[in-house]
Amino acid sequence: MVRTGLSALLIIGTWATAGLSQAAAADPSTTATEAPASAGLLTAMQKDLGLTKSQAEARLAAEKEATALQGAARKAAGASFGGAWFDADSGKLTVAVTDDASARQVRATGAQTQLVTHTAGRLDATKARMDSLAAPQGVSSWHVDPKTNSVVVDVVASERADNDVLAFLAKARQAGPVTLKETSEAPQTFAAGTVGGDPFYTGNVRCSIGFSVHGGFVTAGHCGKAGQEVRGWDGSGIGNIQGSSFPDNDYAWVNVGSGWWTVPVVLGWGTISDQLVRGSNEAPIGASICRSGSTTHWHCGNVLAKNETVNYSEGAVHQMTKTSVCAEPGDSGGSFISGDQAQGVTSGGWGNCSSGGETWHQPINEILNRYGLTLHTA
């Protein structure tokens, strides 16, 4: 049944060529009534986020409005902008600003505000200085956090007293405002050795398809190197990896040929109905987000942080988005989607879908821009 669904996704050539548009062309104000949330998506959000059906519907509507508001609110904040996030309790976009005058201008756009000490520019500069430091394995990741108005450093709890970790933290604090947070495990990528079943394979590695683009699909860079042959779930050749970057980034794209086709769909794996992709507008921190992958299929959570540096054993990867969604080996490269908007491809994380964990994705728009690709949209 899983194989049938994947085959349908990749070989329906007639549908694949219909209704295609530019990746960033979708106007969020025109899609609210075009794509009502499916019953399956609402069920998944109820299960993973602890919401009622009406709460899930209200949250999706509020997140769409917050996503559309981000540009105007940031412009109104000007030089005092300290970051932004979606506040699930109020259902509004919250914008951090450093002065009252800017706060009044931001509130006029419909967003709510929070006064802070440091601008986003100051925090970004702090993180940039930290990115130049060599981080020990006990340091999991670090990112600019607008809520705490600092750079949050995640440290593996069992390694907190390690001398190399302490030395890194001392240098980090010299760079600027830093907040320490403990995590239970170090991050790892979610590729897997070949096992019987679905998605795509490179050598003895199994990964998951991310999003369809004109001429192929995007996925995670750690799944293979440029030039490698890619095989489908049935062992037949799909194409080759045309470009790949890992570490520093974690993205790749694969050309599709030999009778294989792509369509603007994210598989629901029977948990929910397959989801159409209508654009790639970036959801704010705090928004709900769901993931589709070949091992654990469909799970949902929240956006926790953006522009995070993740310290994998293979090397640091920058500008990642952290989420509370779980994942497991084989889910690498799979789709992260918020509502009907593509967000990114699964990179790695810690934990699993039995006990929970956190997962990072490589933002989709960076991949499209890097390789000059156009997202398939419905």
Side-chain angles (χ1 to χ4, degrees):
M1 183 174 181
V2 168
R3 289 180 173 181
T4 302
L6 183 59
S7 177
L9 170 66
L10 291 172
I11 64 176
I12 303 175
T14 305
W15 187 23
T17 58
L20 305 178
S21 61
Q22 293 294 320
D27 180 355
S29 66
T30 66
T31 58
T33 58
E34 294 173 4
S38 68
L41 175 58
L42 295 174
T43 299
M45 291 181 67
Q46 291 172 67
K47 175 180 177 292
D48 290 336
L49 299 178
L51 303 174
T52 65
K53 179 182 178 181
S54 61
Q55 287 172 333
E57 290 174 329
R59 178 157 177 173
L60 286 172
E63 288 173 355
K64 184 177 286 288
E65 183 178 346
T67 298
L69 186 60
Q70 288 182 102
R74 177 163 189 163
K75 183 177 180 180
S80 76
F81 180 72
W85 63 93
F86 175 77
D87 181 68
D89 292 333
S90 66
K92 289 183 173 293
L93 182 73
T94 300
V95 179
V97 291
T98 58
D99 62 74
D100 290 324
S102 297
R104 288 192 293 273
Q105 293 176 331
V106 171
R107 286 195 292 271
T109 70
Q112 59 189 18
T113 59
Q114 178 172 304
L115 286 175
V116 295
T117 303
H118 308 291
T119 65
R122 168 83 167 98
L123 298 178
D124 288 342
T126 298
K127 181 182 177 292
R129 285 192 287 272
M130 292 172 59
D131 283 346
S132 67
L133 302 176
Q137 284 302 295
V139 176
S140 172
S141 62
W142 55 97
H143 68 273
V144 170
D145 179 28
K147 291 184 180 180
T148 63
N149 198 224
S150 66
V151 177
V152 172
V153 182
D154 286 309
V155 174
V156 178
S158 61
E159 302 292 325
R160 182 170 180 174
D162 179 79
N163 288 335
D164 291 338
V165 171
L166 294 175
F168 177 87
L169 292 174
K171 293 178 181 178
R173 292 187 176 102
Q174 291 175 2
V178 166
T179 298
L180 178 64
K181 181 182 175 184
E182 290 188 357
T183 186
S184 59
E185 298 178 36
Q188 60 181 344
T189 54
F190 285 129
T194 300
V195 296
D198 35 334
F200 79 89
Y201 300 87
T202 54
N204 67 343
V205 172
R206 172 169 66 86
C207 280
S208 300
I209 292 170
F211 291 95
S212 297
V213 297
H214 288 305
F217 64 84
V218 294
T219 187
H222 70 264
C223 292
K225 297 182 179 179
Q228 279 191 276
E229 180 187 12
V230 173
R231 293 172 286 113
W233 59 267
D234 61 353
S236 66
I238 295 178
N240 298 88
I241 297 178
Q242 300 297 300
S244 178
S245 178
F246 178 79
D248 186 28
N249 305 292
D250 195 5
Y251 49 61
W253 83 279
V254 177
N255 69 324
V256 167
S258 304
W260 291 74
W261 296 78
T262 57
V263 292
V265 168
V266 173
L267 287 175
W269 299 102
T271 303
I272 69 166
S273 58
D274 295 347
Q275 299 294 293
L276 291 174
V277 178
R278 298 183 182 276
S280 59
N281 295 312
E282 186 178 343
I285 293 171
S288 63
I289 192 168
C290 298
R291 180 193 56 73
S292 180
S294 62
T295 300
T296 58
H297 300 170
W298 187 272
H299 288 275
C300 299
N302 299 307
V303 178
L304 300 179
K306 295 184 180 183
N307 190 23
E308 181 150 25
T309 299
V310 184
N311 191 34
Y312 294 130
S313 60
E314 300 91 337
V317 177
H318 304 94
Q319 296 179 323
M320 304 285 275
T321 297
K322 180 162 68 177
T323 76
S324 62
V325 187
C326 68
E328 295 181 11
D331 287 327
S332 277
S335 321
F336 264 94
I337 188 167
S338 182
D340 57 12
Q341 300 295 305
Q343 299 297 304
V345 300
T346 303
S347 173
W350 62 268
N352 55 57
C353 289
S354 296
S355 59
E358 294 176 337
T359 303
W360 286 269
H361 73 70
Q362 171 79 61
I364 182 69
N365 288 327
E366 181 181 353
I367 310 173
L368 300 177
N369 292 334
R370 169 64 179 82
Y371 294 117
L373 302 170
T374 301
L375 185 70
H376 276 193
T377 55

